[in-house]
Amino acid sequence: AQKVTQAQTEISVVEKEDVTLDCVYETRDTTYYLFWYKQPPSGELVFLIRRNSFDEQNEISGRYSWNFQKSTSSFNFTITASQVVDSAVYFCALSLIYNQGGKLIFGQGTELSVKP
Amino acid sequence: AAGVIQSPRHLIKEKRETATLKCYPIPRHDTVYWYQQGPGQDPQFLISFYEKMQSDKGSIPDRFSAQQFSDYHSELNMSSLELGDSALYFCASSLEYRGGRDTDTQYFGPGTRLTVL
């Protein structure tokens, strides 16, 4: 069975601070995807990034960066110079590759509040 | 770019009534997923369809049923509604893995907020 854990329920920072959201996953499968989704107060789920289990290369996209480490089963998400618009619930998720219609298994989510 | 369309966006029903939620996937996407998100919770997988056939099934109550039609849109039918069914229902779509960079990524619709009174 697969499991995703986001130990940080809520994080509060002041604008321009850097913040890291932790994600730890469990799976016995060797081929899987990891995702991050953002859920702003308006409620929609917005796709941010997908990584494959066979590609541990870290990724940077503007103020966002992701650190994937198979050795620690972690896929952490860092926001640099946070902004008020980053306030949202962030979900880490896992799914299996080569699994038609395979479900996403979500973590519990981390609610990020960025104060001006 | 076209996104996943869900209708209605809001729905209010009484206990024991029925409800039908509709989902129109991103064009060319062949897989549809349904998720239920209760207040303060993470989305929970209900069911998925690949090429109009049921592909995977989660904790979907027997009172719920779903299908995917020939035009790839999907409907979630919910009967004998209970207070506990009040939630945000998401539909997502993806293109099945064929080696492409963007395949297998689930893109979500805006959700249908169901309130059962």
Side-chain angles (χ1 to χ4, degrees):
Chain A
Q2 294 80 38
K3 184 179 179 182
V4 177
T5 301
Q6 295 177 253
Q8 305 151 309
T9 305
E10 297 178 12
I11 299 177
S12 182
V13 299
V14 177
E15 209 170 18
K16 297 183 183 177
E17 284 186 22
D18 298 347
V19 58
T20 295
L21 310 183
D22 297 333
C23 173
V24 174
Y25 63 93
E26 297 174 31
T27 180
R28 291 185 178 180
D29 287 82
T30 56
T31 54
Y32 50 88
Y33 294 115
L34 294 167
F35 300 84
W36 278 94
Y37 286 87
K38 175 182 180 179
Q39 188 171 40
S42 51
E44 70 271 26
L45 276 167
V46 179
F47 165 73
L48 295 178
I49 190 172
R50 184 190 84 181
R51 301 303 294 174
N52 306 330
S53 54
F54 41 83
D55 180 6
E56 282 191 77
Q57 189 173 11
N58 292 327
E59 185 158 338
I60 298 174
S61 176
R63 297 183 297 107
Y64 294 172
S65 62
W66 292 269
N67 184 349
F68 176 25
Q69 292 194 341
K70 289 177 74 171
S71 61
T72 56
S73 297
S74 64
F75 185 42
N76 296 337
F77 173 28
T78 297
I79 302 175
T80 303
S82 59
Q83 299 177 1
V84 173
V85 292
D86 295 327
S87 296
V89 178
Y90 290 86
F91 289 99
C92 181
L94 178 149
S95 71
L96 301 181
I97 298 178
Y98 312 127
N99 186 21
Q100 290 172 354
K103 61 187 176 186
L104 281 170
I105 296 142
F106 287 88
Q108 304 93 317
T110 296
E111 183 172 5
L112 174 65
S113 175
V114 182
K115 301 187 185 308
Chain B
V4 177
I5 297 172
Q6 290 188 246
S7 67
R9 295 292 308 277
H10 301 273
L11 192 57
I12 300 175
K13 291 286 185 179
E14 300 278 343
K15 281 196 311 183
R16 292 180 288 277
E17 285 190 326
T18 62
T20 296
L21 309 185
K22 295 185 178 183
C23 169
Y24 297 86
I26 292 171
R28 295 195 313 113
H29 281 193
D30 49 21
T31 309
V32 170
Y33 311 77
W34 287 97
Y35 292 84
Q36 177 192 58
Q37 186 180 29
Q41 298 181 359
D42 55 286
Q44 296 293 313
F45 172 74
L46 294 177
I47 196 166
S48 63
F49 294 87
Y50 167 68
E51 285 290 346
K52 292 153 280 185
M53 298 288 291
Q54 182 180 307
S55 180
D56 197 1
K57 194 172 181 180
S59 50
I60 182 170
D62 292 340
R63 301 177 288 107
F64 294 7
S65 65
Q67 57 181 322
Q68 186 180 29
F69 295 86
S70 57
D71 64 352
Y72 292 95
H73 94 273
S74 178
E75 295 183 356
L76 177 66
N77 299 293
M78 311 160 71
S79 63
S80 302
L81 287 169
E82 302 174 355
L83 295 178
D85 296 329
S86 295
L88 190 54
Y89 289 84
F90 286 106
C91 172
S93 73
S94 71
L95 183 62
E96 189 255 343
Y97 180 81
R98 295 186 183 93
R101 181 178 173 83
D102 198 36
T103 54
D104 275 355
T105 294
Q106 295 184 30
Y107 293 91
F108 285 77
T112 294
R113 187 168 296 281
L114 172 67
T115 302
V116 181
L117 302 176

